[in-house]
Amino acid sequence: MKKIIYQTLIVLILFNTMVTAQIINMDTNSPTESGIYYKDLDHRLDPYVGTWLYTEGNTSLRIKLVKKEHYLVETVHKSYYSDFIVGEFQYIENGNLVLDRIPLLDDTSINYFDYSITCFSIYKLNQFAPFPEANPLIRMLRASYHDPVKTFIDFLCVLAVNDEIENQKLIFFFKRMIGGSPGGVSLDPVFPTGKYVLSKVP
């Protein structure tokens, strides 16, 4: 009986914490405090959700992005809730399937940081604008790309969406961050670094 009461109390405390957590707009704030819910109140993440395709000849890169809401993030120094964009990809090179990780988006047991693409903040207006194709009034997403094969490499990437509803494009740019190669292993990721302009597909 004591065990049941104890478990019930824990559930109620956790539920009360989730309900009463202070909500802050993630568009204008970076996670700095524990117990806060950094929510996408302005729906800045929504235009990125969907499946995007880049093709050049018989080589293609398909990226699928989904929005995760009220996701618990726990670090050494703090824990907080936030909304995120996560993504996976399918890469076909010269007609041959190299890797397809898109089905992993349906696996709810995967940790946020284990997806290939994880968005962790929204750039402020005009803070970072490497893309002339992007509307300067649309905030870009700062993210990271985790190569599923070369797991020892970290990549910084930026996502941007143009404002043409009928011809929506996703601009995906990523580059390798400074890091060494263990035992002289190639630092090339599954698909080449650089800028990709992808079209939205069903």
Side-chain angles (χ1 to χ4, degrees):
M1 183 67 178
K2 288 183 178 180
K3 184 178 180 181
I4 294 174
I5 294 174
Y6 179 71
Q7 291 174 336
T8 303
L9 284 173
I10 290 177
V11 170
L12 288 173
I13 290 170
L14 290 174
F15 179 76
N16 185 59
T17 301
M18 290 172 60
V19 170
T20 59
Q22 182 181 358
I23 297 176
I24 293 180
N25 191 355
M26 69 172 295
D27 187 30
T28 53
N29 296 274
S30 298
T32 57
E33 300 179 51
S34 289
I36 303 294
Y37 177 17
Y38 295 89
K39 184 174 176 61
D40 181 26
L41 293 175
D42 296 329
H43 304 286
R44 298 286 187 184
L45 301 180
D46 294 353
Y48 295 86
V49 174
T51 302
W52 307 84
L53 180 65
Y54 163 86
T55 58
E56 184 176 352
N58 56 357
T59 293
S60 66
L61 172 64
R62 184 181 298 267
I63 294 177
K64 184 175 181 180
L65 302 173
V66 299
K67 183 177 179 179
K68 301 282 188 178
E69 297 182 296
H70 203 265
Y71 195 96
L72 176 61
V73 179
E74 296 180 290
T75 68
V76 176
H77 303 292
K78 58 183 177 288
S79 62
Y80 58 91
Y81 293 92
S82 186
D83 295 341
F84 292 106
I85 287 289
V86 298
E88 285 296 350
F89 70 93
Q90 176 198 77
Y91 183 57
I92 296 174
E93 186 175 39
N94 297 322
N96 299 312
L97 177 64
V98 176
L99 195 60
D100 184 3
R101 288 176 53 90
I102 289 178
L104 294 178
L105 288 171
D106 296 325
D107 187 345
T108 56
S109 67
I110 294 180
N111 185 282
Y112 162 76
F113 295 102
D114 292 330
Y115 290 107
S116 297
I117 300 170
T118 54
C119 164
F120 47 87
S121 64
I122 300 175
Y123 278 110
K124 295 179 181 178
L125 287 177
N126 303 319
Q127 182 180 2
F128 187 80
F131 312 125
E133 304 94 328
N135 184 331
L137 298 180
I138 294 181
R139 287 172 169 81
M140 301 179 187
L141 304 185
R142 184 170 186 238
S144 59
Y145 168 71
H146 313 281
D147 193 82
V149 177
K150 308 291 177 60
T151 55
F152 53 86
I153 315 175
D154 287 322
F155 298 86
L156 173 67
C157 64
V158 179
L159 301 170
V161 173
N162 68 354
D163 59 349
E164 298 176 23
I165 302 301
E166 298 299 324
N167 188 28
Q168 222 173 9
K169 304 288 186 183
L170 172 75
I171 303 166
F172 175 73
F173 170 81
F174 77 114
K175 64 179 182 179
R176 182 172 63 85
M177 298 175 70
I178 297 174
S181 171
V185 178
S186 169
L187 293 176
D188 295 332
V190 170
F191 54 91
T193 57
K195 183 176 76 172
Y196 295 85
V197 179
L198 303 92
S199 299
K200 196 164 193 177
V201 295

